[in-house]
Amino acid sequence: MSRLHRRISSSVSPRARSWSPHSAFAAATERARAGTLTLEDAHHLFDQLLARPAPVHVRSLNAALARAPDSATCRDGPALAIALFSRVCRQESGQRMAALTVHTYGILMDCCCRARLPELGLALFGRLLRTGLKTNEIICSTLLKCLCCAKRTNEAVNLLLHWMSDPGGVTNAFSCSIVLKSLCDHSRSQEALDLLQTVAKKGGDVVAYSTIIHGFFKEGQIGKACDLFHEMARQGVVPNVFTYNSIIDALCKARAMDKAELVLRQMVRNGVRPDKVTYTSMIHGYSTLGRWKEATKTFRQMTSQGLIPDAFTWNSFMASLCKHGRSKEAADFFHSMTAKGHHKPDIFSYSILLHGYASQGCFADTINLFNSMESNGIVPDCHVRTILIDAYAKCGMMDEAMLMFTEMAGQGVSPDVFTFSSVIAAFCRMGRLADAIEKFNQMISIEIQPNAVVYRSLIQGCCTHGDLEKAKELVYEMMNKGIPRPTIVFFSSIINSLCKEGRVSDAQAIFDLVIHFGERPDVIIFNSLIDGYCLVGKMEKAMRVIDSMVSVGIEPNDVSYNTLVNGYCRTERIDDGLILFREMLHKRVKPTTVTYNIILDGLFRSGRTVAAKKMFHEMIESGTTVKISTYNILLGGLCGNNCTDEAIVLFQKLGAMHVKFDIAILNIMINAMYKVQRKEEANKLFAAISARGLVPNASTYGIMIRNLLKEGLVEEAENMFSSMEKSGCAPSSRLINDIIRMMLQKGEIVKAGNCMSKVDGKGISLEASTISLLMSLFSKNGKYQDKIKSLPVKYQFFDGVS
């Protein structure tokens, strides 16, 4: 006796000696609905039915299979129903099964759509017509569904219009919605709207309107969607939760949270209760804009309504918090998941928070969270361990990273390409190319294929640390494996970094490598090389780069010329810089504000004040924008070349023009006013800093303290120093040394000693000039030898020094 036969027989009275097909059908139908009917049982039942002389109806079983949830015993109920029907059709004697009804055909056609066999559903409809059975609304709706699933939407539209024009047509609003949805799914929302307006008397319900509104939003036509929403209200169709959710979700994705809030209030006012989708959209919208207070409030409002967010919502919100550096707040939500009993954090939750902690360098929290996984029954996978390895590696803690890497294998977790990528990239950054290559070879030996990221890390490491032959070998290896080789942008970044470090020879070698691969250098790479040569003072080589640019058909731009002009000015070759400046004009490369600023600064530094003022007027006449940085150079240059009175007049004139100064300019002018003995004006300018919306910086306080000490106002200088510390401005080593020397020179030994005591523990050391002054004042024959005890004990070794 079969397993199914035994199960069914057990439910029949012991007196029954014959097997009942109807009872077997009933039992099988219940098991299909419960998700416990296996494929073997279903086919065995049909074997027995087909052997029976009496016909048996199969509609109830097919209906149960069509609606059965996926389970371990039957993954696809609709497909099974179709398979059973096919077996019936293949029998030689079709009399053993009862004649199929229109309802059976409807069920089977729906199964075909759900099993992604819409063409078979259309064939079934043709068979239905040949039987002479009369169609009904369900059959018509299912036929439209089959056409739409088969991507024959135009035929569905034509058929729907035909039925709608027939007074006795067998269709309904549901049929219309099927076609509308298909049009919208294929980005044909306008056609869907036209169809709706054509059949509005029969099809204009809330489902139809909502479907098209959602379609418009998907296509980015927000205006049309909103217009249709208002038209819907004018037609007296009440929006449902799906309608509102479509609008709110679209507005949130467009970051129009104020409008989304208005729609949400309207939704509640109209008696439509927000659901999980509504709140999730709002939370996502607030999170995207970094409005965490509103996002958190919405999250709590959601739970207070009895709507428990699913794990995806929890994890998404946590991920958003971590992405914006708010891991501590994410942790609060993480722990509330279990505390409130809503959800048990899964491995994705742990991954999100671990990555957040690691990104912010919270290693203690990272390790504690990692250790808590096992106690909560979560086994760390490769991804979780890679997060920790990557965090350690990026901070240069390679011993810890490699320990965890080694432990993975011992715990049965195999590293993947991302794990190796993190380790290799870290070794390359540290210049440990041998270790990086070793890990590269290891991953290949265990059949993990390196990806483009791994290759780029190795190539960058080789380029940065001088092994260009290996870099070349790796590039060819990438190409042979069909992996796209690094682009010109990749090499440009490396060249720029090396040039910034003054390693222009290494950068030039990589440039030559780029040419070797047949890449065409762009203006960015050339400008990086120009900057590198200028940085190390090799102006002739920088000019040769310009010639190389022109030879390959790339015209130097304003950045190229600005870099060269700046290089000449920094090497005190201002005349060469001016020649190049005129060449820009000749070649129709318009000088920018930066260009003029470089020239002005160079002229002032070389003491050519008249030429600088002339250049400034030329700048104005050319229509080039004069920025605050230009005024900074102009005023500082005038003051530095003993034209302080002229600078003050210009400063006052600019003030009358309501030019908004920065603190750097005020620092220049305060110092200048002290220099020409206009102390009251200097003090007033300092006092007015806050009124101008600015905050004194370390330079401001340093200027004031030095000038107060020069005037002998030691107490005022001490008060200013205290104000500086209270404001959070840390005094520089240079300022401390200046204060000590000035106090010593004025005989303020005790106060100088107090200042020296502040040096300890601040990473500030006494300069050679300060030590020299101390030795001269407190040595055996020094002026203040008798006051040596006023200095901190550690500095009293000067006593007796000759």
Side-chain angles (χ1 to χ4, degrees):
M1 185 181 291
S2 72
R3 180 172 54 183
L4 178 64
H5 197 165
R6 285 196 300 271
R7 288 196 188 110
I8 296 173
S9 297
S10 65
S11 65
V12 182
S13 171
R15 296 177 183 174
R17 295 187 178 271
S18 60
W19 175 69
S20 169
H22 295 286
S23 298
F25 253 119
T29 299
E30 288 303 315
R31 290 184 58 209
R33 289 170 179 163
T36 60
L37 183 69
T38 68
L39 297 175
E40 178 190 357
D41 291 342
H43 283 287
H44 187 76
L45 173 59
F46 261 66
D47 287 337
Q48 293 179 305
L49 289 173
L50 293 172
R52 301 290 297 178
V56 179
H57 283 287
V58 298
R59 182 166 65 90
S60 60
L61 179 58
N62 275 350
L65 288 171
R67 294 169 176 78
D70 289 345
S71 65
T73 58
C74 181
R75 293 290 182 187
D76 195 341
L80 176 57
I82 295 168
L84 295 178
F85 173 74
S86 298
R87 290 195 58 195
V88 174
C89 296
R90 287 197 298 268
Q91 295 301 313
E92 294 180 3
S93 175
Q95 299 301 314
R96 288 177 181 163
M97 302 298 289
L100 299 181
T101 67
V102 68
H103 304 292
T104 311
Y105 278 106
I107 293 167
L108 288 169
M109 287 170 64
D110 184 62
C111 284
C112 291
C113 288
R114 295 176 62 191
R116 298 180 183 177
L117 297 169
E119 297 292 351
L120 181 57
L122 295 173
L124 280 169
F125 180 75
R127 178 170 175 157
L128 167 64
L129 294 178
R130 290 194 297 273
T131 65
L133 292 171
K134 187 177 181 181
T135 59
N136 57 23
E137 289 186 353
I138 295 174
I139 290 292
C140 291
S141 297
T142 310
L143 173 61
L144 293 173
K145 185 177 178 182
C146 287
L147 285 168
C148 292
C149 289
K151 298 183 180 179
R152 295 163 63 177
T153 308
N154 289 340
E155 295 176 53
V157 171
N158 293 334
L159 189 57
L160 178 66
L161 290 172
H162 171 71
W163 284 338
M164 287 291 185
S165 63
D166 183 359
V170 283
T171 188
N172 54 19
F174 179 67
S175 303
C176 182
S177 296
I178 291 171
V179 181
L180 293 176
K181 184 177 185 305
S182 181
L183 287 168
C184 292
D185 286 345
H186 291 84
S187 301
R188 297 167 64 182
S189 300
Q190 184 59 54
E191 293 177 57
L193 178 58
D194 295 340
L195 177 62
L196 177 64
Q197 292 170 343
T198 302
V199 298
K201 291 184 178 179
K202 286 192 176 182
D205 65 351
V206 64
V207 176
Y209 277 111
S210 300
T211 300
I212 301 174
I213 288 171
H214 183 67
F216 276 134
F217 277 128
K218 279 175 62 180
E219 294 170 30
Q221 300 190 58
I222 297 175
K224 286 187 177 181
C226 293
D227 290 343
L228 187 57
F229 177 69
H230 296 308
E231 175 63 24
M232 180 180 179
R234 284 194 291 271
Q235 294 293 332
V237 181
V238 180
N240 60 15
V241 68
F242 177 77
T243 319
Y244 282 113
N245 283 349
S246 293
I247 296 171
I248 289 172
D249 183 62
L251 292 173
C252 289
K253 286 177 179 175
R255 302 190 174 193
M257 293 309 297
D258 292 342
K259 293 180 180 178
E261 289 167 357
L262 288 173
V263 175
L264 178 60
R265 284 197 289 270
Q266 179 184 341
M267 178 181 185
V268 175
R269 192 166 54 248
N270 291 341
V272 180
R273 185 179 180 184
D275 61 8
K276 286 184 183 181
V277 176
T278 320
Y279 286 113
T280 300
S281 296
M282 295 295 292
I283 291 167
H284 177 76
Y286 285 131
S287 300
T288 302
L289 292 173
R291 294 170 60 179
W292 307 113
K293 187 175 180 181
E294 292 95 332
T296 304
K297 181 181 177 182
T298 306
F299 207 100
R300 289 173 178 154
Q301 185 180 357
M302 179 180 182
T303 55
S304 70
Q305 296 292 323
L307 297 171
I308 307 303
D310 56 22
F312 177 79
T313 305
W314 280 101
N315 289 341
S316 296
F317 186 49
M318 283 172 52
S320 188
L321 286 169
C322 290
K323 182 181 178 182
H324 291 82
R326 305 177 75 92
S327 298
K328 296 294 184 184
E329 292 176 45
D332 292 339
F333 276 92
F334 177 88
H335 295 303
S336 70
M337 289 172 72
T338 48
K340 294 180 180 179
H342 294 326
H343 290 287
K344 183 179 180 181
D346 55 19
I347 195 164
F348 300 107
S349 311
Y350 277 99
S351 298
I352 290 164
L353 189 53
L354 281 169
H355 187 267
Y357 278 147
S359 299
Q360 293 183 248
C362 305
F363 287 107
D365 292 323
T366 304
I367 298 302
N368 290 337
L369 182 63
F370 177 77
N371 292 335
S372 72
M373 292 182 71
E374 187 175 353
S375 61
N376 288 325
I378 306 291
V379 179
D381 60 5
C382 179
H383 176 62
V384 167
R385 294 176 187 276
T386 300
I387 290 172
L388 265 72
I389 290 171
D390 188 60
Y392 282 128
K394 283 181 177 175
C395 292
M397 301 168 69
M398 288 307 297
D399 291 340
E400 291 83 350
M402 292 313 301
L403 177 61
M404 181 158 286
F405 184 90
T406 305
E407 287 177 347
M408 287 178 70
Q411 295 171 349
V413 181
S414 299
D416 61 11
V417 66
F418 301 104
T419 318
F420 277 103
S421 178
S422 296
V423 173
I424 289 170
F427 279 137
C428 289
R429 285 194 299 270
M430 299 170 71
R432 294 169 59 177
L433 293 183
D435 292 323
I437 296 296
E438 180 189 344
K439 287 299 166 192
F440 178 75
N441 293 332
Q442 180 185 343
M443 69 184 296
I444 293 174
S445 69
I446 59 176
E447 298 183 349
I448 297 177
Q449 289 303 312
N451 59 14
V453 176
V454 173
Y455 276 107
R456 283 198 295 267
S457 294
L458 280 170
I459 292 167
Q460 182 169 357
C462 291
C463 288
T464 304
H465 300 287
D467 194 348
L468 293 187
E469 284 303 313
K470 184 62 179 178
K472 189 187 299 184
E473 176 189 323
L474 290 166
V475 171
Y476 282 124
E477 189 175 313
M478 287 182 75
M479 294 165 63
N480 291 335
K481 290 184 176 181
I483 301 173
R485 72 185 181 199
T487 63
I488 192 74
V489 176
F490 171 82
F491 287 109
S492 178
S493 175
I494 299 173
I495 289 171
N496 184 59
S497 297
L498 290 172
C499 288
K500 294 293 184 188
E501 295 173 13
R503 297 171 56 188
V504 67
S505 297
D506 294 333
Q508 182 69 58
I510 297 172
F511 177 86
D512 296 337
L513 184 65
V514 171
I515 301 297
H516 172 80
F517 288 129
E519 293 281 357
R520 185 174 186 269
D522 57 14
V523 68
I524 297 173
I525 286 187
F526 280 114
N527 285 344
S528 293
L529 282 175
I530 292 169
D531 186 49
Y533 282 121
C534 290
L535 185 64
V536 297
K538 296 181 178 179
M539 297 307 300
E540 285 69 26
K541 287 192 175 183
M543 285 300 299
R544 282 203 286 271
V545 175
I546 288 283
D547 296 335
S548 299
M549 290 177 71
V550 175
S551 68
V552 295
I554 297 177
E555 288 298 323
N557 58 13
D558 61 301
V559 176
S560 313
Y561 283 106
N562 289 347
T563 306
L564 281 165
V565 171
N566 189 48
Y568 279 126
C569 291
R570 282 166 52 187
T571 54
E572 299 181 359
R573 295 171 61 179
I574 184 65
D575 288 325
D576 290 327
L578 288 168
I579 292 170
L580 200 59
F581 176 77
R582 298 303 173 193
E583 185 180 316
M584 287 178 69
L585 299 172
H586 177 70
K587 293 191 175 181
R588 296 183 180 180
V589 179
K590 186 177 180 181
T592 63
T593 303
V594 174
T595 318
Y596 279 104
N597 284 355
I598 291 169
I599 290 290
L600 286 171
D601 186 61
L603 288 169
F604 276 123
R605 285 180 184 277
S606 61
R608 297 163 67 169
T609 308
V610 175
K613 289 190 284 187
K614 183 179 178 182
M615 181 63 69
F616 177 67
H617 290 300
E618 182 181 321
M619 178 183 183
I620 295 172
E621 290 170 3
S622 70
T624 305
T625 304
V626 179
K627 296 183 179 179
I628 195 68
S629 56
T630 312
Y631 290 124
N632 197 322
I633 292 168
L634 190 62
L635 292 169
L638 290 170
C639 293
N641 285 280
N642 298 317
C643 300
T644 305
D645 290 335
E646 191 175 346
I648 292 173
V649 171
L650 176 60
F651 175 74
Q652 292 170 341
K653 186 183 295 185
L654 293 173
M657 294 166 58
H658 304 292
V659 173
K660 192 173 182 179
F661 300 119
D662 61 11
I663 192 64
I665 285 182
L666 296 187
N667 289 346
I668 290 169
M669 298 315 301
I670 289 170
N671 197 43
M673 289 173 179
Y674 266 116
K675 190 175 179 181
V676 294
Q677 300 299 307
R678 296 170 71 164
K679 303 167 194 174
E680 288 187 15
E681 291 178 66
N683 291 331
K684 285 181 181 179
L685 190 56
F686 175 79
I689 287 176
S690 58
R692 293 174 179 266
L694 301 172
V695 178
N697 59 18
S699 296
T700 318
Y701 284 112
I703 290 166
M704 292 299 295
I705 291 168
R706 289 185 181 94
N707 281 292
L708 288 170
L709 286 173
K710 284 179 184 177
E711 297 297 319
L713 302 173
V714 178
E715 187 174 343
E716 287 86 342
E718 285 185 314
N719 293 336
M720 187 66 68
F721 188 82
S722 298
S723 298
M724 179 181 186
E725 292 188 310
K726 288 177 183 176
S727 70
C729 288
S732 65
S733 177
R734 183 179 178 183
L735 176 60
I736 292 289
N737 277 272
D738 284 350
I739 293 172
I740 292 170
R741 288 195 297 269
M742 293 175 78
M743 285 185 170
L744 289 173
Q745 290 164 353
K746 292 185 178 297
E748 298 286 349
I749 309 303
V750 175
K751 292 180 179 180
N754 291 336
C755 192
M756 290 169 68
S757 66
K758 294 182 179 181
V759 170
D760 298 334
K762 291 190 176 181
I764 297 173
S765 58
L766 295 183
E767 296 173 357
S769 57
T770 308
I771 293 173
S772 177
L773 180 61
L774 284 167
M775 290 179 66
S776 66
L777 294 176
F778 295 98
S779 62
K780 190 173 183 180
N781 299 317
K783 182 178 179 182
Y784 298 119
Q785 198 274 334
D786 59 326
K787 296 182 180 180
I788 189 73
K789 300 298 182 184
S790 300
L791 300 181
V793 176
K794 67 178 293 185
Y795 297 108
Q796 293 180 17
F797 67 88
F798 294 113
D799 189 13
V801 177
S802 59

